[in-house]
């Protein structure tokens, strides 16, 4: 699974639906493509009806994407994998499974239902298109139905490319996994195929651009994202194997060392950083943790200003979405979260949301080194 996070927009069947910022770019692009295309084929349509059709078409596409992802999630929940949220981002969407599927058969079922849903939706909208056409309805709506049918078909085809982490790549992985009885080897091959498809798409896109077709930017962007997602997914699986079933609470340091928010940088440097030989502290104000401060954050401040600058002024304010991790999460997920937000440490919370420790990426990496040193 790709680690992406976005804005929550709603909840269906207990599954949270989120939008990642990259999806807004796609939304804007699709809206402009739809407006242009419908405008060209129906030049006599009024501006207002053109825009109304384009917006409704784009929203229908959005609903189709959510249905595709819900199909994955509902199937995963039936098989016990547990999906808590769906994030829409540039490829379309991703269902965030709590656990990787436990068998090739369940991986196959969870992966295949998404593209199947898109194909059914393509058929449904094609039938609507034929129906509207027969009834002689205003041409913009006929075009809109046709467009939604085609985009669903395109979505099914793109997602069935056999490169991990696309749905087709998961199908491929489940088949290889069942044939070889090795999840690691199956993931490696499926991820390599994913990277290869990514580079092929980038190459095709460049060829299109060279021949003067700027539409080639699409395959370049999609291909590049696919290649990096494939590499990232394999790294996660590898790290998971190297770490084994290690949880955040196994690796965190506890209790959290804190610095009061109002002390000066000079006091913090001498009385806390140098005295304890720690490289980061949580910042505390009136009994609550309000941020984190790392030694690197001292460097841009000239030494003569240290007496007059407080920790509160240079700390990183607490962002609960990115800087907190539950102690029951797997260490590999904490690592992915740190990598995604470019953080070296996370604060660890218990079930009631109290901060009980701190975990750093160097702690996790040290364990991996020790385990591989021991040949474990
Ligand atoms: Zn899918």
């Amino acid at each position: 699974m790709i680690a992406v996070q976005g804005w929550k927009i709603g909840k269906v069947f207990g599954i949270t639906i989120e939008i990642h910022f990259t999806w807004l770019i796609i939304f804007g692009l699709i809206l402009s493509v739809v407006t242009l295309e419908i405008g060209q084929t129906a030049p006599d349509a009024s501006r207002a009806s053109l825009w109304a059709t384009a917006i409704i078409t784009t929203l229908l596409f959005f609903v189709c994407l959510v249905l595709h992802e819900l199909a994955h999630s509902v199937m995963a929940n039936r098989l016990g994998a547990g999906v808590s949220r769906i994030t829409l981002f540039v490829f379309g969407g991703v269902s965030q499974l709590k656990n990787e599927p436990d068998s090739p058969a369940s991986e196959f079922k969870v992966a295949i239902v998404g593209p199947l849903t898109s194909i059914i939706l393509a058929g449904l909208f094609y039938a609507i298109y034929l129906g509207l056409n027969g009834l002689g309805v205003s041409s913009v709506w006929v075009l809109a139905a046709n467009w939604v049918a085609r985009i669903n078909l395109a979505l099914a085809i793109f997602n069935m490319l056999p490169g991990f982490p696309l749905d087709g790549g998961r199908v491929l992985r489940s088949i290889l996994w069942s044939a070889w009885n090795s999840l690691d080897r199956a993931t490696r091959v499926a991820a390599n195929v994913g990277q290869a498809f990514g580079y092929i798409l980038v190459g095709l896109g460049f060829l299109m651009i060279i021949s003067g077709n700027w539409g080639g930017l699409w395959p370049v962007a999609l291909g590049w994202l696919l290649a990096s997602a494939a590499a990232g997914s394999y790294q996660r699986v590898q790290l998971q194997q190297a770490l084994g079933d290690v949880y955040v609470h196994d690796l965190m340091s506890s209790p959290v060392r804190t610095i009061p928010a109002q002390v000066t940088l000079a006091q913090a440097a001498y009385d806390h950083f140098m005295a304890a030989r720690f490289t980061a502290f949580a910042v505390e104000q009136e009994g609550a943790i309000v941020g984190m401060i790392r030694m690197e954050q001292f460097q841009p401040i000239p030494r003569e200003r240290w007496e007059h600058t407080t920790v509160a002024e240079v700390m990183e304010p607490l962002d609960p979405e990115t800087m907190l991790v539950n102690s029951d999460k797997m260490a590999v997920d904490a690592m992915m979260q740190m990598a995604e937000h470019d953080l070296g440490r996370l604060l660890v919370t218990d079930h009631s949301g109290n901060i009980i420790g701190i975990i750093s990426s160097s702690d996790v990496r040290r364990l991996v080194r020790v385990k591989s040193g021991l040949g474990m």
Side-chain angles (χ1 to χ4, degrees):
M1 273 295 121
I2 314 162
V4 284
Q5 241 174 350
W7 303 298
K8 292 185 181 72
I9 56 159
K11 219 167 182 176
V12 187
F13 299 133
I15 298 160
T16 306
I17 297 171
E18 294 181 348
I19 296 184
H20 188 247
F21 78 93
T22 49
W23 208 78
L24 293 181
I25 303 170
I26 298 294
F27 199 91
L29 274 173
I30 286 173
L31 190 59
S32 56
V33 168
V34 171
T35 317
L36 210 80
E37 201 173 307
I38 298 179
Q40 275 169 356
T41 18
D44 48 339
S46 76
R47 237 188 149 63
S49 78
L50 194 67
W51 273 102
T53 317
I55 289 170
I56 290 169
T57 309
T58 314
L59 287 174
L60 275 174
F61 170 56
F62 173 82
V63 172
C64 289
L65 271 180
V66 172
L67 289 174
H68 173 118
E69 291 307 319
L70 272 178
H72 286 307
S73 305
V74 169
M75 180 61 84
N77 279 338
R78 275 176 75 177
L79 296 169
V83 174
S84 51
R85 62 193 170 115
I86 290 173
T87 307
L88 294 177
F89 79 127
V90 67
F91 286 136
V94 56
S95 304
Q96 315 243 342
L97 306 184
K98 282 194 195 117
N99 308 304
E100 290 282 313
D102 55 359
S103 73
S106 51
E107 162 129 82
F108 180 85
K109 287 180 205 156
V110 171
I112 201 84
V113 287
L116 275 181
T117 305
S118 295
I119 286 177
I120 292 168
L121 287 168
L124 184 74
F125 278 97
Y126 194 71
I128 293 174
Y129 156 75
L130 292 177
L132 290 178
N133 219 358
L135 289 170
V137 178
S138 149
S139 60
V140 283
W141 294 107
V142 176
L143 290 167
N146 181 281
W147 195 88
V148 178
R150 278 188 292 130
I151 195 77
N152 271 300
L153 186 63
L155 199 67
I157 293 172
F158 177 71
N159 273 293
M160 277 311 286
L161 288 181
F164 195 79
L166 295 175
D167 297 334
R170 291 192 163 264
V171 167
L172 173 66
R173 179 169 84 157
S174 71
I175 294 167
L176 297 177
W177 182 7
S178 135
W180 294 337
N181 208 10
S182 159
L183 177 60
D184 182 52
R185 200 172 149 207
T187 308
R188 192 168 60 232
V189 172
N192 282 339
V193 177
Q195 269 188 298
F197 267 109
Y199 294 135
I200 291 171
L201 278 174
V202 171
L204 285 175
F206 273 122
L207 283 179
M208 284 167 74
I209 294 170
I210 290 167
S211 59
N213 181 353
W214 285 98
L217 282 171
W218 279 84
V220 169
L222 279 176
W224 180 76
L225 276 161
L226 174 56
S228 51
S233 313
Y234 182 54
Q235 273 164 14
R236 188 197 182 283
V237 173
Q238 263 187 322
L239 187 63
Q240 167 86 70
Q241 294 228 320
L243 278 169
D245 284 345
V246 175
Y247 292 87
V248 168
H249 56 74
D250 298 324
L251 285 176
M252 70 179 187
S253 333
S254 185
V256 189
R257 297 288 197 124
T258 59
I259 295 184
Q262 68 278 8
V263 304
T264 65
L265 290 187
Q267 284 173 296
Y270 291 107
D271 302 345
H272 296 272
F273 279 83
M274 281 162 67
R277 289 182 296 279
F278 274 25
T279 57
F281 285 85
V283 180
E284 171 259 314
Q285 192 167 32
E286 287 159 16
I289 294 195
V290 292
M292 266 208 276
I293 184 159
R294 291 170 286 118
M295 55 182 183
E296 305 87 66
Q297 286 169 303
F298 285 64
Q299 284 160 15
I301 317 284
R303 195 57 85 75
E304 60 275 15
R305 303 263 318 119
W306 284 17
E307 293 286 351
H308 314 286
T309 310
T310 64
V311 164
E313 291 171 72
V314 292
M315 71 174 189
E316 201 166 353
L318 183 69
D319 175 4
E321 287 285 316
T322 58
M323 285 158 73
L324 297 182
V325 66
N326 193 284
S327 64
D328 286 345
K329 278 271 179 85
M330 304 214 62
V332 65
D333 293 318
M335 277 301 262
M336 299 307 280
Q337 188 177 333
M338 287 187 254
E340 190 197 344
H341 301 290
D342 203 17
L343 297 169
R345 295 161 196 84
L346 299 175
L347 292 166
V348 181
T349 56
D350 64 9
H351 284 295
S352 346
N354 302 315
I355 292 170
I356 53 167
I358 190 163
I359 183 169
S360 77
S361 59
S362 50
D363 291 338
V364 182
R365 270 191 240 107
R366 197 170 308 128
L367 175 69
V368 171
R369 260 209 317 279
V370 169
K371 282 188 108 171
S372 79
L374 292 169
M376 288 168 75

